Amino acid sequence: MNVFEGILIPFVGTTLGAACVFFMRKTLSKLLQRALAGFAAGIMVAASIPGAGGSINDDGILDAALTPRLIQPTTFAEISGNKSERTKQFSEILRHAHIPYKKVMDMHLWQLCHLAMVVPIADAYYESDDPEKVEKEWKIMRKTAERLKRNFNFLRKQKGKLSPWKMNIFCFLPLSFLTIMLAVTFGSSFGDKFMYQHATKAPDEMRELHKQFYAYIKRMKKCGCKTKKVL
């Protein structure tokens, strides 16, 4: 019944909204058009916030899920890093929606650590002759492990910490053990939904992230300075 009610609500709303066209005599005013467009945009932004993985299949069906809390809850912060009434209210919205979430103080560092992880993972698929079975290519798995350790060791050295703290696992795990762990993850159903599908459906996006991330790291190495927040 809960599932039925959840489907029924947007169905009724969409039906009633579509039925309004039968009562229109002229086009909508520009003010009303902008208001409706803004409302729709707000809904789409809200729907895109939770961390999720998956893709739309060839038959047009969305095969996706929220990332587990242990892996990556929905993460957000004020640009300033300070707590605010907005973050408090947003936390309440996610809590009532039963969406795992986490507030961080330094979103810039969190984003860098996120890129340090996802860029090498995507690169592994692009370098493989058979991306669906990349976990069987030991050289690529080991190279990916080396890249992850290099990225996180650099960020940890520059910033003094990683975000979230669990990312330190990439610094401390032995290379051989990390390689095995990656092979298992790449070959799992989790790897298929949250890693493989995104990498193969959005190659242009991931390659641009690769370009921008390593260019940023290169600039930091060249100037020998600490990473700074860029607004």
Side-chain angles (χ1 to χ4, degrees):
M1 285 302 298
N2 289 336
V3 174
F4 177 75
E5 291 173 358
I7 296 174
L8 185 62
I9 292 173
F11 174 77
V12 172
T14 302
T15 302
L16 291 175
C20 290
V21 300
F22 294 105
F23 301 94
M24 292 176 56
R25 296 182 178 179
K26 299 180 180 180
T27 59
L28 296 174
S29 67
K30 290 185 178 181
L31 180 61
L32 182 56
Q33 289 183 41
R34 294 178 65 181
L36 292 175
F39 179 71
I43 292 175
M44 295 309 297
V45 170
S48 68
I49 286 173
S55 66
I56 298 177
N57 297 331
D58 294 335
D59 53 8
I61 297 176
L62 176 63
D63 178 22
L66 292 175
T67 50
R69 180 187 297 272
L70 181 63
I71 303 299
Q72 181 187 315
T74 297
T75 306
F76 60 94
E78 289 281 6
I79 294 178
S80 63
N82 299 324
K83 294 182 179 180
S84 67
E85 186 62 26
R86 291 196 305 175
T87 58
K88 181 180 179 181
Q89 292 175 354
F90 190 49
S91 298
E92 286 298 305
I93 292 173
L94 295 179
R95 185 175 67 82
H96 284 293
H98 302 289
I99 296 175
Y101 69 90
K102 181 178 179 59
K103 291 183 288 185
V104 296
M105 301 303 293
D106 190 344
M107 178 54 75
H108 179 67
L109 175 60
W110 187 92
Q111 290 175 326
L112 284 174
C113 290
H114 184 67
L115 289 176
M117 178 179 63
V118 300
V119 167
I121 288 174
D123 288 344
Y125 289 113
Y126 303 145
E127 295 173 4
S128 173
D129 295 328
D130 188 359
E132 289 189 81
K133 299 178 181 179
V134 66
E135 71 276 5
K136 297 181 179 180
E137 300 184 50
W138 193 253
K139 289 184 178 180
I140 292 181
M141 290 294 97
R142 185 175 179 84
K143 183 185 294 185
T144 303
E146 292 172 347
R147 289 168 173 170
L148 288 167
K149 290 185 75 70
R150 180 189 64 200
N151 290 347
F152 283 107
N153 280 325
F154 175 80
L155 291 177
R156 188 167 178 268
K157 179 180 179 180
Q158 294 295 308
K159 294 289 286 185
K161 61 180 180 179
L162 300 176
S163 177
W165 185 88
K166 63 188 175 185
M167 293 299 185
N168 284 282
I169 190 173
F170 293 108
C171 298
F172 300 130
L173 275 182
L175 184 61
S176 57
F177 189 83
L178 181 57
T179 303
I180 296 173
M181 187 179 73
L182 285 173
V184 172
T185 304
F186 271 85
S188 66
S189 58
F190 172 88
D192 175 69
K193 177 166 291 187
F194 294 96
M195 294 159 49
Y196 172 76
Q197 292 190 35
H198 183 75
T200 54
K201 296 291 184 179
D204 293 338
E205 172 195 347
M206 296 309 302
R207 289 191 173 99
E208 183 63 24
L209 289 176
H210 171 109
K211 177 182 176 181
Q212 295 292 336
F213 175 71
Y214 285 120
Y216 181 86
I217 296 299
K218 185 177 181 179
R219 290 197 300 270
M220 292 301 102
K221 289 181 177 179
K222 186 176 181 179
C223 70
C225 56
K226 302 292 184 180
T227 53
K228 298 179 180 180
K229 181 180 291 188
V230 180
L231 302 180

